[in-house]
Amino acid sequence: MSNTYDVIINGASVGGCTAALLYAQQGARVALLERRSDLNAHKVLCTHYIQASAYPVMAATGLDKVLEQTGAIPNTAHYWTRWGWIRPPHDPAGAHGYSVRRETLDPLLRNLAAETEGVDLKPGHTVNELLVEGGRVVGVAGATGEEAFSLRARLVVGADGKDSTVARLAGARTETTENGRFSYFAYFKGLARQAGDTARVYYLEPDNAYVMPMEDDVTVIAAVVSKARLDEFKNDLDGAYSNFVRSLPEAPDIDNAERISKIIGTVNYPLISRDPAGSGYALIGDAALTSDPLAAVGCAWAMQSAQWLVSESISAVTGADTASGALDAALARYGARHAEETGPHHHLIADYAAARPFNEIEEFSFSAAARDARMAAHFHTFGSRLMTVEEFLSPEIVMQMEKVNGHGLSDAVLRQLAGEDVADSGDEVSEGVAR
């Protein structure tokens, strides 16, 4: 194929492959670049949980059927809190995503992309320069081994993760928030599972954990721990991890299962937010927004941000109106939609990543969900990112929570939920409400 395309995508992982598939389905010619040469390469640090909010995108690309054929687990979850378990009623025909290891997911997506007409998958291509004309990004340049390459397109997409090369070269405005927790996880085989392969998430305040069933009888267990305990894990990682898992309420029986991996993790995983678009380029997935892995939104938002970008920009890159002004307008719409869809959720996620105890609103909603099946379903739907923050805390829902709990929220919080300015209400409260 020539070195000129409609779209160049840097990064052939979840977001990049999804965008390539969606663009190609609508007639775009796509160069899909991946710096790694091995098509089976995969991301290691991941929750391995695709939220239900991304199901429509998976259905549109055909990924849902492929995942089901590989044995990926249609996901649901129970949540432990100090008020007891939150157990959403399970509806097998209801909305769901999938729990699947990245070593399964990433190659599947690349194969789907490679087999799609209009997608030119280019492994082993490392981008180290953006081509810029008149202040607009018009292509990329880099190397594949010892050979240089140069490609041009109407739109360059950075789908290259939290350390995005495209974002760095473009000078995208970036905000970084420290994560107050670190994470270690391992894979087990032969671990007894809950009915329906239900995942378990533990809110231990400030520590957290999750037990996530995957395909091929594999379960991933993660310890997501406050940095106040970092020395404990550094001094004896194996012992600290194992003891932490054994101490969980109704703990998984790891002593009678086979651990099939080393203990994997990171002690520093900041939350990174960037402006998702600029002149001639856009960012999707973690390149645009790296949220807390505990929230398990990364894979879903990578797929969804790809879909938002494609829906806003396809006519500007393939249609009759391909002038730069049309693309600029499309990218502005994408940026606004990205902020609207992810911003309030990310605000709450970033605040909780400080590794603090629950604030008043969280105590109110978690306790109601632990006591009432309807509130449990509501809680799980919100955690699956299938509703907005406003819907989660609508007046009708707050009234229902009040009935379940037998008490209401403080006047200060109620005024904040109503959109009133409240002076001296306390940081723990104000940070619990999406602005």
Side-chain angles (χ1 to χ4, degrees), residues 169-212:
L169 293 174
R173 188 181 66 86
T174 302
E175 294 182 1
T176 301
T177 303
E178 181 182 357
N179 196 326
R181 299 184 183 89
F182 62 93
S183 176
Y184 283 104
F185 63 90
Y187 298 97
F188 295 82
K189 268 206 167 185
L191 194 68
R193 296 189 170 189
Q194 301 291 300
D197 289 327
T198 302
R200 283 171 284 172
V201 181
Y202 295 85
Y203 290 94
L204 304 170
E205 298 179 82
D207 300 332
N208 297 79
Y210 60 80
V211 180
M212 207 78 71

Side-chain angles (χ1 to χ4, degrees), residues 14-51:
V14 175
C17 288
T18 301
L21 289 164
L22 294 172
Y23 272 122
Q25 285 176 354
Q26 299 192 58
R29 293 181 62 248
V30 181
L32 178 59
L33 280 53
E34 171 55 50
R35 61 178 177 80
R36 297 169 294 188
S37 298
D38 181 5
L39 294 182
N40 290 317
H42 60 278
K43 185 176 180 180
V44 175
L45 296 175
C46 185
T47 312
H48 310 287
Y49 191 97
I50 309 173
Q51 295 286 5

Side-chain angles (χ1 to χ4, degrees), residues 6 23 136 154-155 277-282 308-335:
D6 297 314
Y23 272 122
R136 172 178 295 278
R154 295 186 178 97
L155 174 63
S279 186
Y281 75 91
W308 301 331
L309 176 62
V310 174
S311 66
E312 298 294 351
S313 66
I314 185 64
S315 62
V317 298
T318 63
D321 189 4
T322 56
S324 59
L327 181 57
D328 287 344
L331 294 179
R333 292 193 301 271
Y334 164 65

